[in-house]
Amino acid sequence: MKKLMLTCLAAAALLTANAQGDVYERSKTYEWPTDKQVVEKLRKWQDQKFGVLFHWGVYAVPGMVESWAICDEDWVTRDTTMSYRQYKDWYWGLADKFNPIKFDPRQWADVMSQAGMKYMIFTTKHHDGFCMFDSKYTDYSIAHHAFRDNARRDVLKYVLEAFRGKGFMIGEYFSKPDWHSQDYWWDVYPTKRGRNVNYDIKKWPWRWERFKQYTYNQMEEILSRYGSVDILWLDGGWVCKENNQDIDMPHIAQMARRHQPGLIMVDRTIHGPYENYQTPERTVPEQQLNFPWESCIPLSNDWGWVQHPTWKSPEKVINTLIEVVAKGGNLVLGVGPTPEGLIQPEAVSRLQAIGRWLKANGSAIYNTTTTPVYQDGNTWFTASKDGRKLYAIYMVKEGETAPATISWSKNLPKGSVKLLSTGRTLKTRRSGNTVTVTLPAGISQSVAMEFRR
């Protein structure tokens, strides 16, 4: 039954994410920031290209889909041997079983650095309300339930320190809804509004005002106590003014940038001044986009750790990164640490393989910009920031090898074409508006080439 529940949850989450992706394809409204510090940091972030998103919380204990199991939406399937109340009590009780005694953020940072990632986003609180930091506004946090020896209880502090030590840009994920809060899901009423607040805000305005202050206070905690932060990544887009759940984003933004000048704010799916970049989930836009965006895609089929994951291959991730960058975006890869607090070996090996490819071919990815013609068949194009160099990346599909020769008819080279990984000059032949390049034999991964315009 538990396996069925997790499978259904994962499938439903994927369908939901695909629907979100369709929305991004239909709506490309973007409002450029005017704050010079935000613009500068946003440009720096766009140059990073590849990051990691950590989902880690009580849901890691049984290895299940994060938070959603306690939501009463139709797509959620759960154990029928328990009542809904019993199920929620069981879920809340996972906090007492979460004790990541092997927690090693330096291992996380080492692995992600080896993978070639340049920025990180850590889940400080998901929709279930469990805080991965020591909040003085709730006892429902890792600081009150884990680390029985009282060591390193404030997980957020140590994670951010480890990644700063590796030169990463730092991001904090924060859920606007909080299903554990009595000021969001009030036990007086059933949770028959799905993911939304379960009481009438107009009838109980004081309770909503209290939730707004609680949310503001917790955001201020994570932005004021843990050093420099580059990105505030807000999830739970249904908590918004347009959905009659106004948490006063102008007030939050003013506070946030008072503590963190130039902070990139990502109020996901809420187009406007607080969505400094857009975040299509589990999908890549069909066309090149001319504003900041980031595809968020997990390394397995799940954001958090699960017991029997279905992994994406290194080649799949590399090819997704190539497409994303050629279309003008960044890729943030979801990785879920184990309940003990480590990145598991199966993830490590895949991430290291991705890093080896980026070490050899990263010049075609990092600090690049787009070209008007960004694809010709299986060949994708990026350009150096000064516009003097172009990069052609031939995408080798998983399980295949590159052909002996490849051809393209756009972005034709002037002069020689070099294999980026070795600097070797490749044999080229031009016929009319088509160039044909001879590749070394036996290439089994996507291959990047460099040439002049």
Side-chain angles (χ1 to χ4, degrees):
M1 179 60 71
K2 183 175 288 186
K3 289 183 178 180
L4 175 61
M5 177 192 73
L6 298 179
T7 301
C8 292
L9 282 169
L14 181 58
L15 290 172
T16 302
N18 288 339
Q20 290 176 344
D22 292 339
V23 170
Y24 277 96
E25 289 304 294
R26 292 195 300 269
S27 175
K28 302 200 172 54
T29 304
Y30 181 79
E31 185 173 329
W32 287 93
T34 56
D35 184 320
K36 291 182 180 179
Q37 289 179 292
V38 176
V39 171
E40 181 179 351
K41 184 160 288 188
L42 195 56
R43 286 173 177 167
K44 177 183 177 181
W45 170 81
Q46 286 183 286
D47 287 341
Q48 309 306 299
K49 305 303 182 186
F50 191 33
V52 59
L53 170 59
F54 294 109
H55 276 73
W56 195 44
V58 295
Y59 41 85
V61 176
M64 61 189 294
V65 174
E66 65 288 339
S67 294
W68 290 102
I70 55 173
C71 182
D72 75 341
E73 294 182 359
D74 290 341
W75 60 270
V76 177
T77 303
R78 65 177 63 83
D79 190 341
T80 58
T81 65
M82 290 188 279
S83 70
Y84 183 40
R85 179 71 262 174
Q86 289 171 326
Y87 190 87
K88 286 201 295 184
D89 288 343
W90 169 81
Y91 185 93
W92 303 136
L94 292 173
D96 293 321
K97 300 178 181 179
F98 189 28
N99 190 31
I101 55 175
K102 296 181 180 179
F103 170 58
D104 187 358
R106 289 176 297 182
Q107 185 241 5
W108 302 13
D110 286 343
V111 171
M112 303 311 152
S113 181
Q114 292 166 13
M117 293 162 167
K118 303 296 183 182
Y119 68 100
M120 62 83 74
I121 300 168
F122 179 73
T123 300
T124 66
K125 182 180 77 168
H126 205 259
H127 312 327
D128 59 15
F130 188 76
C131 297
M132 299 299 289
F133 61 99
D134 188 4
S135 175
K136 67 180 181 181
Y137 299 101
T138 180
D139 290 342
Y140 193 57
S141 74
I142 193 166
H144 289 83
H145 289 271
F147 298 115
R148 311 297 188 258
D149 59 0
N150 295 321
R152 297 186 298 173
R153 299 182 101 185
D154 203 345
V155 160
L156 180 60
K157 174 180 184 291
Y158 295 99
V159 171
L160 299 193
E161 285 179 353
F163 279 88
R164 285 196 196 97
K166 291 290 185 178
F168 278 62
M169 290 187 76
I170 300 298
E172 295 177 332
Y173 170 118
F174 184 90
S175 170
K176 293 185 292 182
D178 186 321
W179 295 339
H180 189 266
S181 170
Q182 286 294 303
D183 292 325
Y184 196 81
W185 274 6
W186 189 13
D187 283 345
V188 168
Y189 294 103
T191 57
K192 282 299 179 185
R193 298 174 185 235
R195 65 188 69 188
N196 293 287
V197 60
N198 76 330
Y199 59 88
D200 187 342
I201 291 174
K202 291 181 180 179
K203 185 176 180 181
W204 304 98
W206 61 268
R207 184 168 287 273
W208 181 253
E209 287 301 316
R210 195 164 66 182
F211 179 73
K212 285 169 59 177
Q213 188 62 50
Y214 173 72
T215 303
Y216 178 98
N217 290 343
Q218 286 200 321
M219 286 195 205
E220 187 165 32
E221 284 183 310
I222 65 173
L223 291 168
S224 65
R225 297 197 328 220
Y226 298 97
S228 177
V229 176
D230 301 295
I231 305 162
L232 178 63
W233 211 84
L234 300 177
D235 204 3
W238 59 91
V239 179
C240 62
K241 186 175 183 180
E242 293 77 7
N243 197 31
N244 298 314
Q245 297 182 55
D246 185 7
I247 59 168
D248 196 353
M249 281 300 300
H251 186 46
I252 289 172
Q254 184 181 39
M255 172 274 294
R257 288 182 174 139
R258 183 174 70 250
H259 292 294
Q260 303 289 342
L263 180 74
I264 298 170
M265 296 194 68
V266 185
D267 191 10
R268 298 190 64 218
T269 73
I270 310 301
H271 300 321
Y274 310 114
E275 191 185 37
N276 296 148
Y277 66 77
Q278 295 188 6
T279 55
E281 183 173 348
R282 295 181 184 261
T283 189
V284 178
E286 291 184 5
Q287 304 295 329
Q288 189 180 84
L289 303 178
N290 63 354
F291 53 79
W293 60 276
E294 166 194 82
S295 278
C296 41
I297 298 173
L299 178 59
S300 69
N301 284 346
D302 301 275
W303 291 108
W305 178 85
V306 297
Q307 295 184 36
H308 304 290
T310 300
W311 298 104
K312 294 178 178 64
S313 67
E315 290 74 24
K316 173 68 174 177
V317 175
I318 290 166
N319 289 348
T320 301
L321 178 62
I322 292 167
E323 180 180 355
V324 164
V325 173
K327 290 179 176 179
N330 285 14
L331 173 64
V332 67
L333 194 67
V335 179
T338 67
E340 293 79 18
L342 296 171
I343 307 301
Q344 67 193 97
E346 295 87 348
V348 171
S349 62
R350 287 163 172 79
L351 292 164
Q352 289 174 336
I354 295 164
R356 287 192 292 271
W357 186 90
L358 280 166
K359 187 174 182 179
N361 300 281
S363 295
I365 300 295
Y366 305 121
N367 300 297
T368 58
T369 188
T370 58
T371 64
V373 176
Y374 60 90
Q375 181 187 11
D376 190 338
N378 284 339
T379 304
W380 299 78
F381 300 97
T382 62
S384 62
K385 296 290 284 293
D386 62 10
R388 298 176 62 186
K389 295 179 183 178
L390 283 182
Y391 302 99
I393 313 173
Y394 184 82
M395 189 181 290
V396 178
K397 295 181 179 180
E398 185 177 355
E400 298 181 2
T401 56
T405 63
I406 59 173
S407 300
W408 66 83
S409 57
K410 305 290 184 182
N411 293 329
L412 298 179
K414 293 180 180 179
S416 61
V417 177
K418 294 182 178 180
L419 190 67
L420 194 57
S421 60
T422 64
R424 170 183 172 182
T425 298
L426 301 175
K427 179 181 178 181
T428 61
R429 175 171 51 84
R430 183 162 175 174
S431 178
N433 290 325
T434 300
V435 63
T436 299
V437 178
T438 300
L439 297 176
I443 293 179
S444 59
Q445 285 188 313
S446 296
V447 56
M449 294 152 280
E450 174 188 299
F451 55 90
R452 299 285 178 176
R453 283 185 181 270

